[in-house]
Amino acid sequence: MKKVKNSSIFGSTNEPHTIIIARGETIRHFTVRPWAALLGSTIALGLVGSYLLATSYLVFRDDLISGSVARQARLQQAYEDRIAALRTQLDRVTSRQLLDQKMMDGKVAELIQRQKALSERHDRLAPVLQRAEHAGTASQTEASTNLVMDRDGEDVVKSEDADGFYGIDPIITGPTTSTRKPAPHNDKAKTGVDKAELLDSVDHSLADIEARQSKQIQTLSNTAYESADKIMEALAATGVKPVIDDDKAGTGGPLLLASTNPTSGFDTKLADLDEALSKLESAKALAKAIPIANPAPGMPVSSPFGVRKDPLLGLMAFHSGMDFRAISGSLVLATANGTVTAADYNGGYGNMVEVDHGNGLSTRYGHMSQILVSVGQQVKAGDVLGRVGSTGRSTGPHLHYEVRKNGNAINPVGFLTIGRQIAAEL
């Protein structure tokens, strides 16, 4: 190889490398450029690196393959485990949804059944309520408006279908399309929690209706029993008693039906109400057959029952009735239900009407100017019998009124007092 020569003018210069190969008498030399040397070195290093890599691959190939396979197996197992977990979770959610749906369907069926029972109750209550209203107890407790819900009021039972919710009236069975706007179809409205809350609300509403029905029926029964007792206690002073079967005399107690039917509680209350109304109706019928009404309402008493000075002779005499001072032509009213047994002029009574009320009781109405009934006619309490006058043995227009028991005159004051006591019950 040649050395680097120094030049005084141009400085040092690099001469190309020369490789000399001598073999015997043959001498060869090669000139190697710097770039060729660099290229050769690079190629050589590349070959050596490739050789080393190939050797390493051959040596560690099995380990690399095994590790890769194991890693792939782990990834696959992880994916399979995740899929299995998701499938289990999906099955759990599906099962819960099916169970919730089944419970929801059962709850809806139960509510519809209860709603039908309420409808049946209403059908059974309707005639009883009419009796109660006629007897005068429903108006006191407002049962006619409280025992059933108004159809224009709040819907109570809801049933779900594919298009949303439809209202079911609390009394009329079967679904009826609601006039309200359907609820918005959002996720919250579709959740089982909201539906469960809705069904719970419906359940509470039905329970409230049932409780109010039972309470109002009980209130009606209590009112009917109390009214009947007051009437009978007041009528007891007249000595008239209702006809009671000897086998049932001296018996009683609260009504408790021997039944295991779930609706027996309602049946018991309904039967008790029916019995109470029957008792009240009987008491009122008996009261209307006893002369306790006023024959001349608002008119003053001018002469009481009993011994008095005769207005014509001035002698002490027995007055068999009581006189009501009234304007001539005023109406004379029947004091109880009965049958007209006399309707004609009768001596000192003048124009007189006599009414038989049964139970040995009868009433007489004298001195009338005009008779407006005939013998054999059926009259009711409050019916017009005639007009006030001054016929017969009389000093002026007035009504002579008598109450007779078994043909004997008795004081009408006691009957009129009883009438005032139970007027509110009648």
Side-chain angles (χ1 to χ4, degrees):
M1 298 179 58
K2 294 182 178 181
K3 296 181 180 180
V4 177
K5 293 182 177 181
N6 293 327
S7 174
S8 60
I9 298 175
F10 298 102
S12 62
T13 58
N14 293 325
E15 295 183 358
H17 297 279
T18 302
I19 299 175
I20 299 174
I21 300 174
R23 187 176 182 182
E25 296 180 354
T26 304
I27 298 174
R28 295 180 181 179
H29 60 86
F30 301 93
T31 300
V32 180
R33 302 287 182 182
W35 61 268
L38 180 59
L39 178 61
S41 299
T42 302
I43 293 174
L45 290 174
L47 292 174
V48 171
S50 299
Y51 174 76
L52 293 175
L53 290 175
T55 303
S56 299
Y57 172 75
L58 293 175
V59 173
F60 299 104
R61 180 181 60 180
D62 294 338
D63 294 338
L64 293 175
I65 293 175
S66 299
S68 178
V69 172
R71 184 167 55 255
Q72 293 294 332
R74 287 195 299 271
L75 291 175
Q76 183 177 358
Q77 185 63 35
Y79 283 131
E80 291 177 354
D81 292 342
R82 180 60 177 170
I83 292 174
L86 291 175
R87 184 179 292 110
T88 301
Q89 184 178 0
L90 179 61
D91 293 340
R92 188 183 301 113
V93 172
T94 302
S95 300
R96 185 184 299 112
Q97 288 179 344
L98 291 176
L99 180 60
D100 291 342
Q101 184 64 35
K102 185 176 181 181
M103 294 177 60
M104 199 81 67
D105 293 342
K107 189 67 174 179
V108 170
E110 178 185 354
L111 292 177
I112 292 178
Q113 187 64 31
R114 291 177 61 185
Q115 181 267 335
K116 291 181 179 179
L118 284 176
S119 178
E120 294 175 357
R121 286 188 179 189
H122 173 66
D123 294 339
R124 296 172 60 186
L125 277 173
V128 180
L129 288 178
Q130 291 179 355
R131 287 183 59 193
E133 185 175 2
H134 184 268
T137 58
S139 59
Q140 299 176 21
T141 58
E142 298 181 355
S144 60
T145 57
N146 290 336
L147 283 178
V148 296
M149 292 191 65
D150 186 25
R151 292 199 61 185
D152 296 331
E154 184 70 17
D155 290 338
V156 173
V157 181
K158 302 285 184 179
S159 63
E160 183 186 7
D161 64 5
D163 297 328
F165 288 91
Y166 292 95
I168 298 180
D169 188 85
I171 299 304
I172 306 301
T173 56
T176 58
T177 304
S178 175
T179 57
R180 301 175 188 171
K181 295 181 179 179
H185 295 276
N186 51 29
D187 294 337
K188 184 177 181 180
K190 293 294 186 179
T191 60
V193 176
D194 291 339
K195 293 178 182 179
E197 292 178 354
L198 176 61
L199 291 180
D200 289 339
S201 175
V202 172
D203 181 70
H204 292 325
S205 298
L206 289 177
D208 180 65
I209 294 175
E210 293 171 350
R212 285 194 293 119
Q213 278 187 338
S214 298
K215 182 179 179 180
Q216 292 292 350
I217 292 174
Q218 186 63 52
T219 302
L220 282 175
S221 298
N222 293 341
T223 302
Y225 277 126
E226 291 175 2
S227 298
D229 290 341
K230 289 179 181 179
I231 293 173
M232 296 307 299
E233 288 175 4
L235 295 180
T238 66
V240 178
K241 298 181 180 180
V243 179
I244 301 177
D245 189 354
D246 293 338
D247 294 337
K248 298 180 180 180
T251 61
L255 178 62
L256 299 174
L257 297 180
S259 174
T260 58
N261 192 323
T263 61
S264 60
F266 173 78
D267 294 337
T268 300
K269 288 183 173 60
L270 191 61
D272 192 41
L273 175 58
D274 182 75
E275 181 182 355
L277 293 176
S278 297
K279 183 177 180 180
L280 178 58
E281 290 167 351
S282 298
K284 287 189 174 185
L286 180 62
K288 291 179 180 179
I290 298 176
I292 57 177
N294 194 321
M299 301 302 173
V301 177
S302 57
S303 181
F305 173 87
V307 178
R308 67 171 184 175
K309 183 182 290 188
D310 185 76
L312 296 178
L313 300 178
L315 302 177
M316 299 302 295
F318 178 73
H319 187 217
S320 59
M322 60 190 304
D323 294 338
F324 293 87
R325 183 183 297 112
I327 300 174
S328 181
S330 300
L331 298 179
V332 177
L333 308 180
T335 57
N337 299 344
T339 304
V340 178
T341 56
D344 202 351
Y345 196 90
N346 188 355
Y349 286 102
N351 289 327
M352 186 201 74
V353 172
E354 182 173 6
V355 179
D356 181 16
H357 305 289
N359 295 310
L361 294 174
S362 62
T363 52
R364 292 181 178 180
Y365 310 80
H367 307 308
M368 290 191 291
S369 62
Q370 184 180 7
I371 296 175
L372 300 177
V373 293
S374 57
V375 176
Q377 182 177 337
Q378 299 291 325
V379 295
K380 295 182 179 180
D383 286 353
V384 177
L385 302 178
R387 295 184 181 276
V388 173
S390 185
T391 59
R393 195 169 183 273
S394 171
T395 61
H398 73 283
L399 171 66
H400 175 82
Y401 174 64
E402 291 184 8
V403 175
R404 292 180 171 268
K405 186 173 183 180
N406 297 323
N408 300 317
I410 57 178
N411 194 346
V413 172
F415 290 85
L416 296 179
T417 301
I418 293 173
R420 288 192 295 270
Q421 290 177 352
I422 63 176
E425 308 299 333
L426 297 176

